[in-house]
Amino acid sequence: MEQNTRSSFSSRIGFVLAAAGSAVGLGNLWRFPYLAAQYGGGIFLLVYLVLVVTFGFTLMVTEIAIGRKTRLSCIGAYKALDRRFGFLGWIAAFVPVIITPYYCVIGGWVTKYLFTFVTGGGQAAADNGGFFDRFTQFDAGSTLATLFNFNAPGPWFLLYTLLTAAVVIFGVEKGIEKASSFMMPVLAVLAILIAGYSLTIDGAMEGLKYYLLPDFSKFSASTVLGAIGQMFYSMSLAMGIMITYGSYMQRENIMEHSVTQIEVFDTLFAFVAGLMIIPPVVAFNGGDPTKINNGPGLMFSTLPMVFESMAFGEIIGAVFFLLVLFAALTSSISLMETIVSVLMDKTPLGRKSSTLIVTGATLLIGIPSCLGYGPWAGIKILGMQFLDFFDFISNSVLMPIVAVLTCILIGHVVGTKVIADEVKQNGAAFHREGLHRVMIRWIAPVLLVAILVSELATKVFGLFTI
Ligand code: PHE
């Protein structure tokens, strides 16, 4: 049976680094800063932090425990806990199918920036978003011509997806562990240095205040909503990923400890990314935080300007984008790995053919996100570009659904004891057991349902805006 062949991480730190590698990625470096900028700065940060240590912790423990207990990827795992919840595994497995393609599109943007900096074009990229717009909006006349034009995102998306696939093909230990254990610490150090520098830019203090000091008048349901979606995304929750990783985790690992470490890693990266990006963008835009609102392009517009104002900025920029590329890769590897492991569990296909199929599908599904700001900019779904739409459907719809149903399954059907027992294997402690229990049974599901209803009402039915 598949149980016997499932490979496992060779060490505890291997697990933590790989799971942190999955968690730390574009979500922290690209998505967190622009959401924080968009949803009121300090208040978003505060809400996010509270959510991570309560809700995020609860879900992550739950998922890793489910994986380690059942030794199955999410489809088999939910079914093994309760047959009626088998469908939940399928929904969870479907989330990465949506995220992987657009994640690879953004990974492609990073690859383009790396190339630009390495070939000495860093200065040209420092024009407050102009370079980014020209790149993402590039239109070579026809869809096909645009898709294969190096001035547009297409070829970079292809390249990035193939890089991801290459690691997945070599399997868990060799690929994932090696890449993540080497690159993560370097990225952390560089990010801290850049953040330190960012704060010295003239006018950065206004931005720092905006980022750190919560303004409670900016609090709204959408702040919570944005923060919850970001938490799922950033911690790689509610999509079967932590279940898959848990299934590779050895029983000797002290789970609560590992989860706390992953949480801290992930949140620190997001926090530092915010420091790196928000104060300078406020400075560059004349000190008024309410004026920054360029969404998904924020990191790509701001950082080149930071680098340009630094000594050796071109080199620092090149190294930085190389490391971002690795952080992104460890995440997209985990996304793709989840889909591949489902295919391998459910079909007679081996790793190679599963990976090839998933790669092909990723490329196809990614095309709309790739062209969505360019030649296909006229097409909108629910008022959103393709990329934003895929982001919305996964983070604000499917992931909350998976999370609610997981809470119900664990909190009210199989019982929280199942998880607690797994966490406490080998006499390990579970300090936040009480918190876990209350969160999963009551607070998380109620909050999630409220959020889900309001989100759907707002976006889909346009009933009211919050
Ligand atoms: N958590 C990753 C990040 O922050 C992204 C990701 C999302 C990875 C979903 C796996 C699954 O970038």
Side-chain angles (χ1 to χ4, degrees), residues 31 55 61 99 151 215 220 238 244 275 295 407 442:
R31 203 171 185 274
F55 196 174
V61 164
I99 295 187
N151 294 317
D215 172 353
S220 71
T244 305
L275 279 183
C407 289
W442 307 111

Side-chain angles (χ1 to χ4, degrees), residues 22-23 25-28 99 103 233-236 239 241 331 334-335:
S22 161
L26 296 170
N28 312 57
I99 295 187
Y103 201 91
Y233 190 92
S234 186
M235 295 175 76
S236 307
M239 62 192 99
I241 286 187
S331 299
S334 78
L335 279 161

Side-chain angles (χ1 to χ4, degrees), residues 70-89:
T70 59
R71 295 269 160 209
L72 294 167
S73 61
C74 64
I75 294 198
Y78 281 110
K79 198 163 154 205
L81 289 175
D82 187 300
R83 290 198 69 78
R84 291 164 300 171
F85 280 77
F87 73 94
L88 188 52

